[in-house]
Amino acid sequence: MRSPRRRTLLVPALLCAAAVLAARPTAADGEPGDGPDSGISAQVARLYEDAAVATQRYESGRREAEGEQGQARRLEALLARERRETAVLREELGRIARAQYRGGGGLPVAAQMLLAGSPDQLMRGQHVFSQANLAVDNAIGRSRRAEARLAADEAKAVEAWRAVERRNAGLVRLKKDIDGKLEQARWQLQGQADASVAAGSCRGAVRLDQPPTHFAADWVAPVETYTLSAGFGSGGSHWANRHTGQDFAVPIGTPVRAVGAGRVVRVSCGGAFGIEIVVRHADGYFTQYAHLAAVTVDQGDSVSTGQWIGQSGTSGNSTGPHLHFEVRVTPELGSGVDPVPWLAAHGAPVG
């Protein structure tokens, strides 16, 4: 039997536990790695992987299809040769028939044998008949075999071209399906980024499962595949003075990498740079990654070379999806140096 004292203590303990649970932040309040933000970010990352695999399969399939096309073309060449051989055999049959007619004075060989006036004539007629019959049989046999080969190879050629068309159509459908899903997910991710920038508040890091990375070099480019766009020091209506970094044109959701090992000194949302990350490196330089759609690190985190720290976007003062990358001597705007020669000097040339 439980004592009354123990029952009395149990009530405040339950109330304290409820209060602690109520005070814990929910996923919507920014718990890293949870909630809809994490879901769409992870979905985009997975779709990027799927798209890469689909592209590899597409390229592999395209090479195989080229091989199949080569085989189909070889079959077409074989068919052309067989058609010529069949035409020659048919001409030979006609030649034999014409020769028989001329050799018999206009009478069939069998009729000549029936009208033979002597045993010698009969024997000669029988010999001629046998030779002619053998020649005809051989010619007909060759012609029939050639016709059969021709029909079989024509069927093979048709099936080869159909196989090429089926493979190409399947690969196109696969790639189109993944690309469509990825495009939709990208803009969902960007919509969440725009909401964060409008609120001036980041939702916290999204912890993505990135593939294992083993970089031989200490420095890498901030994105793997890109097109360089606006460069350092260029002019334009979007900047108060001159462009302070190097832009890498990439689709929304592209994984953004730390160019080198360091520590995250700033994660912010709002303002001209939208969602941005600043990393301090051991040599005293700072790198900035701006206009992001999501971040995968928190302020104070240590990062390694090539680690995913965010996903590209078009947040803030941006005219389209890209990564704005800066190298600075301080964490603040206005202390930037040209990123392209800086990266090249660190063994990570871009261009």
Side-chain angles (χ1 to χ4, degrees):
M1 180 175 178
R2 294 181 181 174
S3 69
R5 177 176 175 78
R6 289 186 64 185
R7 285 198 300 270
T8 305
L9 291 174
L10 183 60
V11 174
L14 290 173
L15 291 174
C16 288
V20 170
L21 290 172
R24 290 180 62 188
T26 63
D29 293 328
E31 184 72 15
D34 295 323
D37 293 344
S38 174
I40 192 64
S41 291
Q43 183 185 357
V44 170
R46 284 194 301 270
L47 284 169
Y48 264 104
E49 293 177 7
D50 292 345
V53 171
T55 299
Q56 291 174 356
R57 288 177 61 186
Y58 181 82
E59 290 302 318
S60 175
R62 185 179 58 78
R63 288 190 294 270
E64 291 178 11
E66 288 175 354
E68 290 173 349
Q69 287 174 351
Q71 175 65 17
R73 283 191 288 269
R74 286 191 291 274
L75 284 172
E76 290 286 357
L78 177 62
L79 288 176
R81 187 172 70 248
E82 289 177 347
R83 290 187 184 103
R84 288 194 297 271
E85 291 173 355
T86 301
V88 169
L89 290 172
R90 287 172 181 161
E91 177 61 28
E92 184 179 355
L93 279 174
R95 180 184 59 76
I96 292 171
R98 289 192 297 273
Q100 283 184 345
Y101 184 82
R102 287 195 299 271
L107 290 174
V109 175
Q112 293 181 48
M113 290 174 63
L114 292 173
L115 298 175
S118 67
D120 288 339
Q121 277 187 323
L122 181 63
M123 293 295 293
R124 283 197 301 273
Q126 186 177 7
H127 178 71
V128 170
F129 181 80
S130 298
Q131 290 296 107
N133 197 43
L134 180 63
V136 170
D137 286 346
N138 287 339
I140 290 174
R142 288 196 302 273
S143 180
R144 285 176 176 172
R145 288 192 296 272
E147 293 281 358
R149 283 198 307 272
L150 179 60
D153 288 339
E154 281 178 339
K156 285 182 184 178
V158 169
E159 179 55 32
W161 283 114
R162 285 176 179 168
V164 170
E165 291 170 359
R166 285 196 300 268
R167 178 186 293 277
N168 288 341
L171 291 169
V172 167
R173 283 195 303 272
L174 173 67
K175 196 168 184 305
K176 184 178 180 180
D177 180 59
I178 292 175
D179 287 345
K181 290 178 180 176
L182 179 56
E183 184 67 11
Q184 182 180 6
R186 281 171 178 157
W187 286 107
Q188 282 184 260
L189 180 64
Q190 184 59 46
Q192 293 177 348
D194 292 340
S196 295
V197 171
S201 175
C202 294
R203 288 185 170 87
V206 174
R207 305 300 183 182
L208 297 178
D209 293 328
Q210 69 178 81
T213 53
H214 304 286
F215 293 99
D218 293 330
W219 301 87
V220 296
V223 284
E224 187 173 358
T225 304
Y226 56 85
T227 299
L228 294 180
S229 48
F232 180 79
S234 58
S237 59
H238 298 288
W239 310 296
N241 296 301
R242 292 284 178 176
H243 194 225
T244 54
Q246 174 63 55
D247 287 350
F248 293 79
V250 288
I252 294 168
T254 301
V256 174
R257 312 184 294 191
V259 296
R263 184 173 294 277
V264 178
V265 298
R266 180 186 301 155
V267 176
S268 64
C269 300
F273 286 120
I275 300 176
E276 64 166 328
I277 298 170
V278 178
V279 176
R280 186 185 191 279
H281 302 281
D283 60 0
Y285 281 96
F286 297 81
T287 52
Q288 181 212 30
Y289 312 78
H291 303 310
L292 302 176
V295 297
T296 64
V297 292
D298 285 317
Q299 191 165 307
D301 284 356
S302 294
V303 295
S304 58
T305 300
Q307 178 181 333
W308 290 357
I309 59 175
Q311 292 170 289
S312 65
T314 182
S315 59
N317 183 17
S318 171
T319 57
H322 72 284
L323 169 69
H324 176 85
F325 175 73
E326 289 194 21
V327 177
R328 301 172 177 173
V329 296
T330 76
E332 306 305 326
L333 178 65
S335 62
V337 299
D338 192 339
V340 173
W342 186 89
L343 285 169
H346 283 71
V350 297

